[in-house]
Amino acid sequence: MSNEYGYVDVSNINQTKQNAGVLTVDDLYDLQSNGHLGGSLQLIEEQDITSSTSAVIFDNLSSNYEVHFLTCMNVTSDTDGSYLTMQVSNDNGSSYRTSGYHYAHFHGTGGGTFSESRSTTAGQFFISGNLGTAANEKGNTYVYIYNLSNSSFYTSINHHGSDVIATGALRFMWGGGTYPANAETHDAFKLFMNSGSITEGNFKLFGIKEL
Amino acid sequence: MSALRFISETTATSTSSLSVTDVFTSDFSVYKVELIRPDLNTGTGTYVDFRFVTSDGIVVSTDYGYGIEVMNSNAGFGSDLNANQGYMRGFRYSSNSSADGGGMVLWIFEPTNTSTYTFARVQAGSYSTAESKNVSTKGIGVLQTTDSIGGINFFHTNNFDSIHVKVYGLRQ
Amino acid sequence: MAGKLVKVNSVTSDGSATSLQVTGINSDHVYMAVSNLLQTQNNNEEIRLRVTKGGTEDSTSNYDYAGRKQSSVTFANKYAANQTSVLLHDNVDDANGGGQNILYLYNFNSSSEFTFLTYETVEAVSNQEAGSSNSACHTVASASDGIKIFGGSGGTFISGANITLYKIL
């Protein structure tokens, strides 16, 4: 990276010529590309689904972030009663881990039906309620993902969502999970319905950066 | 410019207590704090607790109250709730296996306001190798004094092999 | 170039506001709203929320919500359907800062979808520390452009009570 700015990675201003202190567009792009400019919430990738999709894949994930933030909005399925789920990959999406997930979450409806859900032997994380195919039966959630890219630690998540499920009821769901079968780098993950396909939805993955 | 502003990052090893000081100021009313994969030296089925810090040091008075849901992947859920304590809790750390990792996100409200309490929202997730379960927590905590808070302290009766904290301010 | 949490709008009570309203949702993004110092002169006041459409609050009986109350003395389920507003904070003290919250707002801009939100609260209560973790839905398929927060007993928000709305780009 150019050190012409003189204000990065040095303790003293490295100014050998007078300048107006104005950064050019190229300077700004250079700084931002190297993570020295911008805010703390960095968009990694957005996927907007408008037709039937078997899975939404985020791959080629770098190790730049210790905490990721994922938003899923207006998730729609073609199968009544299906759940939005998540699996991780350690080979950039060539394959996905299909067993050994732990999760625990609370959920409850506007009609007063509350329950706990948990598993130590799941094939994936569950991050939505049982969505429906009728109009407005959609899912929305945010997910914090910890240590996804760290080879020494298990990947864990927290999530909190708001859905209208297949019964037409409003349902909250929040909780978390861990993939403890292997402490490994996960350089990809996929989102998919445990039955059927995603037909619509907006998915954004952010990194939370020290910036 | 992003509304989420990075303030500080602190790591420590071989310590039972980490104070991150001079991070809460009148610049912001709302802060986001991340606790990333605390690694205990020993211990199973315990919590990483936290307290606030003023210019006079760690607030150890029994003026904290908290209530958190404890969600276990292998058993019925529980809760941990208490008033008049010398700490808040939010990260149920369940074993000393370094791979257990996990993380916690706290939102801190009004720490420097001397007319209000200091408030916290907590959610966390981690794994316990010793107990073969994921534990997630979600809940609240309040320090019921109007002290001006400048920092936060994480502690455990057993040493942390390592601990990592990041602090962000939210521009309003 | 900038980070992706961008402030859209903010409103602060000058000590005379009986409601706080932020608008400006006009795109298909997830939005976030943060509130602090939601305190009125009434002790144990409920703090409630409605969505706005075209800048006007929607007070029709189309709000469903569900969640868990979490406090230093007890936990409980909370839920309701077909309400005229969302119960944001169950009750807040008339001192010590009132209520604070984090909301995530989904599908607000869609004219064909319901409006969804998650909300996580913490508050000063006279006899305990409390909060809740919840979700809500305005079950009308039309676009919403903001939120309005008000006291269930018509209380006046103290000076400094604030809502700030952000777009997550």
Side-chain angles (χ1 to χ4, degrees):
Chain A
M1 186 186 75
S2 166
N3 66 352
E4 68 173 3
Y5 322 117
Y7 306 110
V8 178
D9 292 339
V10 294
S11 58
N12 298 309
I13 295 175
N14 184 28
Q15 190 170 337
T16 58
K17 292 183 179 179
Q18 281 191 329
N19 62 57
V22 176
L23 298 171
T24 67
V25 173
D26 286 345
D27 292 342
L28 294 171
Y29 180 79
D30 193 6
L31 284 167
Q32 190 212 352
S33 299
N34 288 282
H36 295 291
L37 188 68
S40 298
L41 193 65
Q42 304 281 305
L43 178 66
I44 297 170
E45 185 178 354
E46 174 179 6
Q47 299 197 42
D48 200 49
I49 306 302
T50 58
S51 61
S52 183
T53 303
S54 61
V56 176
I57 295 172
F58 290 91
D59 56 9
N60 294 311
L61 300 177
S62 71
S63 60
N64 286 347
Y65 307 100
E66 294 174 300
V67 182
H68 289 80
F69 182 68
L70 172 71
T71 62
C72 308
M73 182 168 70
N74 203 39
V75 178
T76 312
S77 172
D78 63 1
T79 301
D80 233 16
S82 60
Y83 296 79
L84 182 65
T85 68
M86 174 181 172
Q87 287 178 336
V88 296
S89 166
N90 71 339
D91 56 12
N92 202 29
S94 295
S95 64
Y96 290 87
R97 297 299 195 183
T98 58
S99 64
Y101 294 81
H102 284 232
Y103 67 77
H105 52 249
F106 252 119
H107 48 90
T109 70
T113 302
F114 284 68
S115 187
E116 305 170 0
S117 292
R118 70 183 76 85
S119 177
T120 60
T121 58
Q124 61 260 82
F125 294 129
F126 285 74
I127 59 173
S128 86
N130 48 324
L131 305 180
T133 55
N136 307 117
E137 292 176 351
K138 308 296 174 75
N140 307 274
T141 189
Y142 72 77
V143 186
Y144 280 102
I145 312 171
Y146 308 102
N147 310 314
L148 184 69
S149 306
N150 194 305
S151 61
S152 301
F153 297 91
Y154 303 137
T155 293
S156 289
I157 67 169
N158 283 136
H159 57 87
H160 185 156
S162 179
D163 309 321
V164 169
I165 58 174
T167 61
L170 175 277
R171 189 178 103 150
F172 79 84
M173 187 169 102
W174 38 259
T178 300
Y179 176 74
N182 298 284
E184 59 190 11
T185 296
H186 295 125
D187 48 15
F189 66 87
K190 68 174 182 179
L191 305 169
F192 61 102
M193 307 309 296
N194 73 321
S195 179
S197 298
I198 299 170
T199 56
E200 189 177 358
N202 178 271
F203 305 87
K204 288 186 177 178
L205 179 65
F206 300 87
I208 302 176
K209 199 159 179 61
E210 305 81 45
L211 190 68
Chain B
M1 180 64 125
S2 174
L4 192 65
R5 311 283 178 83
F6 173 68
I7 293 173
S8 81
E9 179 176 14
T10 307
T11 59
T13 58
S14 301
T15 180
S16 62
S17 173
L18 171 65
S19 289
V20 182
T21 58
D22 300 319
V23 289
F24 303 145
T25 69
S26 58
D27 286 349
F28 303 99
S29 296
V30 183
Y31 292 81
K32 186 176 187 179
V33 178
E34 294 174 355
L35 173 68
I36 299 168
R37 50 178 185 272
D39 183 8
L40 286 185
N41 182 260
T42 61
T44 298
T46 59
Y47 286 92
V48 172
D49 297 322
F50 64 98
R51 302 170 290 198
F52 291 120
V53 182
T54 69
S55 57
D56 295 325
I58 300 170
V59 178
V60 297
S61 58
T62 54
D63 292 311
Y64 298 92
Y66 61 85
I68 59 168
E69 308 268 10
V70 182
M71 295 165 278
N72 307 294
S73 63
N74 69 342
F77 294 1
S79 58
D80 197 314
L81 55 161
N82 264 308
N84 305 315
Q85 299 298 299
Y87 54 86
M88 280 193 251
R89 57 184 32 163
F91 190 102
R92 189 181 185 281
Y93 200 88
S94 299
S95 96
N96 62 322
S97 172
S98 61
D100 288 352
M104 178 163 73
V105 172
L106 297 94
W107 289 95
I108 309 295
F109 299 86
E110 302 294 338
T112 63
N113 190 329
T114 54
S115 299
T116 74
Y117 296 158
T118 297
F119 303 86
R121 281 282 330 177
V122 174
Q123 65 181 339
S126 71
Y127 188 74
S128 168
T129 297
E131 298 168 288
S132 299
K133 66 177 181 180
N134 157 264
V135 182
S136 294
T137 60
K138 197 167 178 84
I140 62 98
V142 180
L143 172 61
Q144 289 189 301
T145 72
T146 56
D147 296 333
S148 178
I149 300 300
I152 189 166
N153 167 262
F154 294 94
F155 69 102
H156 195 278
T157 51
N158 305 318
N159 268 9
F160 295 107
D161 284 340
S162 69
I163 181 169
H164 187 181
V165 179
K166 299 181 187 180
V167 180
Y168 303 82
L170 184 66
R171 177 66 64 198
Q172 291 179 280
Chain C
M1 176 191 78
K4 297 305 181 181
L5 187 68
V6 177
K7 176 180 168 181
V8 173
N9 204 351
S10 183
V11 61
T12 303
S13 172
D14 61 0
S16 66
T18 56
S19 66
L20 298 172
Q21 177 171 311
V22 282
T23 57
I25 298 176
N26 57 11
S27 65
D28 296 330
H29 290 88
V30 177
Y31 286 74
M32 185 176 94
V34 175
S35 305
N36 49 316
L37 298 179
L38 299 180
Q39 174 185 317
T40 74
Q41 80 279 20
N42 299 323
N43 196 19
N44 294 327
E45 177 139 30
E46 294 180 344
I47 304 296
R48 291 189 163 268
L49 174 146
R50 291 181 175 136
V51 301
T52 60
K53 297 181 183 287
T56 301
E57 64 178 329
D58 187 322
S59 58
T60 57
S61 303
N62 292 303
Y63 295 91
D64 296 357
Y65 58 84
R68 287 272 291 174
K69 294 164 59 174
Q70 297 146 333
S71 83
S72 57
V73 298
T74 188
F75 283 24
N77 299 332
K78 58 184 280 191
Y79 59 93
N82 304 316
Q83 302 293 294
T84 59
S85 62
V86 173
L87 182 56
L88 193 60
H89 295 265
D90 287 34
N91 61 329
V92 301
D93 202 358
D94 57 355
N96 301 310
Q100 344 286 321
N101 61 63
I102 304 281
L103 286 70
Y104 287 94
L105 312 176
Y106 302 89
N107 278 353
F108 267 58
N109 191 57
S110 173
S111 59
S112 61
E113 303 289 354
F114 292 168
T115 296
F116 291 83
L117 57 143
T118 64
Y119 58 104
E120 301 164 66
T121 77
V122 57
E123 54 250 9
V125 185
S126 56
N127 61 348
Q128 61 190 272
E129 296 87 278
S132 60
S133 305
N134 322 264
S135 301
C137 181
H138 185 243
T139 57
V140 175
S142 65
S144 304
D145 62 358
I147 57 174
K148 176 179 177 177
I149 293 178
F150 58 98
S153 301
T156 301
F157 288 109
I158 62 171
S159 176
N162 172 272
I163 313 175
T164 302
L165 177 68
Y166 306 89
K167 181 188 297 187
I168 304 176
L169 288 176

